[in-house]
Amino acid sequence: MRRLESQRSIFSWRLPRLAVPAVVLALTQPLAGCLLPNEIIPAAIPLPAAYRAGPRHADAALPSVVWWRGFGSKELTALIEESLTSNFDVAAAVARIVQADANSRVAGAALLPIVNLNGSATRQRPSQSGGGGVVGANGVVAGGSGGSSERVAYSASLSASYEIDFWGKNRAAMRSAEQLAVASRFDREVVALSTVVSVANAYFLVLEANDRLRIARNNLAAATRVFNLIKQRFDVGTASALDTAQQESLVNTQRASIPPLEETLRQNAVTLAVLIGRTPEFVTIRGGSMSRLRIPPVTPGLPSDLIGQRPDIREAEAQLASANANVYSARAAMLPSIQLTGEGGYQSAILKTLLRPESAFYNVAAGLTQPIFDGFRLQGLLDFQVGRQDELLQLYRKAIVNGFADVERALIAVQQTALRVRLQRDVVTSSQRAFDISETRLREGTIDQVTLLQTQQTLFTAQDVLAQAQFDRLTAVVSLFQALGGGWEKPKPTRVAKGTEGALKP
C-alpha cells in the first residue's frame, strides 16, 4: 500500500476548454493499486470470459476518454465539458475530496509526537488584611505580617507526548482514512459520469422534441391540405358532412399534439442550464435534429477489465479496504498502549535569571495502559467494525455483479434499438407511400374516407414512433458508456531494460 498523498482541489469552478480532456484523462488513471488484501478479495464471484450480448472481438474499439465527442455535435460537446467544470454536484464532490484529505491528515497526526511551547508570567499579591499567609506554588508562604506583598514567577518550557504505535492501531486508523480519501475521488468520478450522462440525455430530449415538433407540424400541414380537399368536395356535393368532420378531428388532434412537445423542449433546455451551473435566462440551446448525430462505435472489452474501470466498483473497493483497516485498529485497541511524556524548561522568580542553568527543570514519564474491563465497549467496537466490513464486502460484490448486469442490459438495448430504428424506417417509408397514393386518389375522387383516414393516422404515428426509437437508440448508447465507467485509456506498453526481465515482479 502506498500512503495517500495530500492533494489540493482538482477542479476550479471553470477551466479552459483545452484543459478538459487533460482533466478527464487524469481521472481515468487508477487512483490506487491493490486496495484490498488478498484475504478479503471476493473470489467467490466468477468472472465471465465475455459478455453474452457483446461482440466476439471485445477489445476492438474501446471508448475514448472524451467519448461524448463521438456523437459529432459541437453544442453537446460544449455543454458536457462545461458541466464537468461548472456543475454544482461535481463541485460538491471536489469539496468532499478536500474534507477526506483533511481527515486523513487528522488521523495520521497520532503517529507523530505532540509538542507544545509553554510560557507564563504571573504576579501574585495576597490580601494584606488577613492574618495568615498564602502558600505559593513553590511552597513559600506569602502574605501575612512577615511576607512580601507581591510575588512574580516566570516560566518557559517545552512539553511533548507520544504514543508508541507498537500494535499498529494508529497506523491502521490512518490507512482507513486514506482509503476513504481514495473513495472520495472515485465518488467524484461517479458524480461526473452521472452528470455527463444527464447532460447528454437532456440534450437528446431537446433534439427528440425538435424532431417530433417538426413531424407534428408537417403532419398538421398535410392533414390541413387533405381537409381543404375534402371541404372542396363537400362544397360541390361529392363529400358528406361526416367526411369533413372526421378530417377536421384529425387536424385538431395533430394541432393538440404540439403544446406538450413545446413543453418538453423548453423544460429540458432549463434542465441543461442547471446542469452546467447557469440560470436558464443565460443559456440558449440551438438544438437540431437527431438525424445529424453520429453513433460512436464502442465495444465493452473484457469483463475482467470492468472491475478496474467502473468508478462505483473502485469506490466500493476503497470503502471495503477502509473497513478492513478499521477492524485491525479496533482489534489493536484491546492491547496495551505505551505513552511517553516529557517536559523541560526554565522557571525563575526574576526575569533576568530565567535562562540560567540553575533555573532549568525537566520531567519525563512513561506509562502503560492495558484495558481490563470497560463494560465490553472495546469488544462492541470490534464487533461493529467486523459487521461493517462484512456489509461493505457484500456491497462490493453487489457492485461487481450490477456492473456486469448493466453492461449486458446496455448491450442488449443498443442492439435492439438499432434494429428497431431500421425496421421503423421501413414502416415510415411504406406508410408515406400509402399516404401519397391515397392523397392522389382523393384528388381523383376514387378513394373512400375511411381508407384515407387510416393511411394518414398510420403515417403520422409511424413518423412519431421513429423519432422516439432514434431517441431510445441514443440513450442506449449513452447507457453503455455509463455502464463501462466512461472512457478507457489504452494501456501503454511497458519498456523493460535488457537483462532485467527476471527481476521484475508482477
Side-chain angles (χ1 to χ4, degrees):
M1 294 280 186
R2 292 184 177 179
R3 183 174 178 177
L4 179 67
E5 297 180 356
S6 300
Q7 297 184 6
R8 297 296 182 185
S9 176
I10 300 176
F11 288 94
S12 60
W13 281 99
R14 292 188 183 275
L15 292 177
R17 180 64 52 82
L18 294 178
V20 172
V23 169
V24 177
L25 180 62
L27 285 174
T28 60
Q29 299 296 325
L31 297 177
C34 179
L35 299 180
L36 299 178
N38 293 331
E39 64 266 19
I40 63 172
I41 292 180
I45 298 179
L47 300 182
Y51 294 106
R52 181 177 299 178
R56 291 291 182 181
H57 302 287
D59 57 348
L62 296 177
S64 168
V65 292
V66 285
W67 52 268
W68 52 84
R69 295 184 178 181
F71 290 101
S73 171
K74 293 182 179 180
E75 187 174 37
L76 175 61
T77 297
L79 289 171
I80 288 179
E81 294 183 353
E82 185 173 358
S83 70
L84 287 174
T85 58
S86 303
N87 181 267
F88 297 117
D89 292 331
V90 175
V94 172
R96 289 193 292 271
I97 293 177
V98 176
Q99 298 173 47
D101 285 346
N103 284 333
S104 67
R105 292 194 296 271
V106 171
L111 294 172
L112 301 174
I114 298 175
V115 181
N116 294 316
L117 173 64
N118 308 306
S120 66
T122 60
R123 179 181 292 272
Q124 183 179 17
R125 182 183 185 277
S127 174
Q128 301 299 311
S129 62
V134 178
V135 180
N138 56 358
V140 178
V141 178
S145 59
S148 61
S149 60
E150 293 185 355
R151 293 191 63 85
V152 179
Y154 300 95
S155 174
S157 64
L158 284 175
S159 62
S161 63
Y162 178 65
E163 180 182 0
I164 300 178
D165 195 30
F166 190 80
W167 313 108
K169 175 185 66 175
N170 296 331
R171 187 169 298 277
M174 182 191 68
R175 190 184 310 120
S176 173
E178 288 176 348
Q179 295 303 328
L180 288 180
V182 172
S184 70
R185 284 159 169 76
F186 288 119
D187 175 69
R188 191 265 168 212
E189 290 191 40
V190 172
V191 174
L193 181 58
S194 299
T195 300
V196 169
V197 171
S198 297
V199 172
N201 287 338
Y203 186 74
F204 294 153
L205 281 171
V206 170
L207 299 188
E208 182 201 25
N210 272 333
D211 286 348
R212 294 180 68 188
L213 274 171
R214 175 181 51 80
I215 292 170
R217 290 183 178 123
N218 290 340
N219 291 340
L220 175 61
T224 302
R225 185 174 63 250
V226 173
F227 173 72
N228 292 332
L229 291 175
I230 295 177
K231 192 175 180 180
Q232 291 174 5
R233 294 184 61 189
F234 174 77
D235 292 338
V236 296
T238 57
S240 66
L242 178 60
D243 296 339
T244 306
Q246 287 177 331
Q247 186 62 34
E248 185 179 9
S249 175
L250 182 60
V251 170
N252 293 333
T253 299
Q254 289 300 311
R255 185 177 289 113
S257 66
I258 294 178
L261 298 175
E262 289 279 4
E263 178 183 357
T264 300
L265 174 63
R266 295 181 181 182
Q267 287 184 346
N268 281 281
V270 172
T271 300
L272 284 171
V274 175
L275 289 171
I276 62 176
R278 297 193 201 177
T279 57
E281 291 76 13
F282 295 98
V283 177
T284 301
I285 306 298
R286 295 190 305 270
S289 174
M290 292 183 291
S291 60
R292 298 179 181 177
L293 297 180
R294 299 194 301 265
I295 302 298
V298 56
T299 50
L302 297 176
S304 58
D305 297 334
L306 189 70
I307 298 178
Q309 176 62 24
R310 274 185 59 132
D312 57 335
I313 297 178
R314 299 302 306 276
E315 181 183 2
E317 182 183 357
Q319 291 175 345
L320 179 56
S322 174
N324 183 60
N326 283 333
V327 170
Y328 189 97
S329 179
R331 185 177 291 114
M334 306 175 71
L335 301 173
S337 61
I338 302 174
Q339 187 78 23
L340 303 178
T341 59
E343 184 179 12
Y346 297 89
Q347 282 183 343
S348 176
I350 303 174
L351 182 59
K352 66 179 181 179
T353 63
L354 178 62
L355 299 180
R356 290 184 178 180
E358 61 269 20
S359 300
F361 77 94
Y362 73 91
N363 62 75
V364 293
L368 184 146
T369 302
Q370 169 62 58
I372 301 299
F373 180 75
D374 60 353
F376 302 103
R377 182 181 66 88
L378 292 177
Q379 183 62 48
L381 290 175
L382 176 59
D383 293 341
F384 172 81
Q385 295 298 340
V386 171
R388 177 63 175 163
Q389 181 193 47
D390 185 63
E391 176 191 4
L392 292 176
L393 173 62
Q394 303 310 320
L395 292 178
Y396 177 52
R397 293 158 58 92
K398 178 182 177 181
I400 294 175
V401 174
N402 280 340
F404 293 144
D406 289 343
V407 175
E408 288 287 359
R409 282 192 291 262
L411 287 171
I412 294 172
V414 168
Q415 293 174 356
Q416 296 304 313
T417 53
L419 177 61
R420 178 186 170 195
V421 168
R422 187 171 70 252
L423 296 178
Q424 191 62 32
R425 283 200 179 102
D426 295 339
V427 174
V428 171
T429 300
S430 58
S431 299
Q432 183 68 55
R433 185 167 59 252
F435 174 74
D436 293 341
I437 294 174
S438 63
E439 186 176 5
T440 301
R441 291 187 177 181
L442 174 65
R443 296 178 184 276
E444 297 172 351
T446 59
I447 191 173
D448 63 281
Q449 184 65 20
V450 175
T451 303
L452 177 62
L453 288 174
Q454 288 178 346
T455 55
Q456 291 180 88
Q457 292 173 346
T458 299
L459 174 62
F460 298 164
T461 301
Q463 291 175 331
D464 192 65
V465 170
L466 175 59
Q468 297 178 47
Q470 290 174 327
F471 170 78
D472 291 341
R473 185 186 183 190
L474 291 172
T475 56
V477 172
V478 171
S479 297
L480 179 56
F481 281 111
Q482 184 180 24
L484 294 174
W488 295 39
E489 184 191 15
K490 295 183 179 179
K492 298 180 181 180
T494 304
R495 294 184 178 180
V496 180
K498 188 175 182 180
T500 62
E501 293 85 350
L504 296 179
K505 296 181 180 180

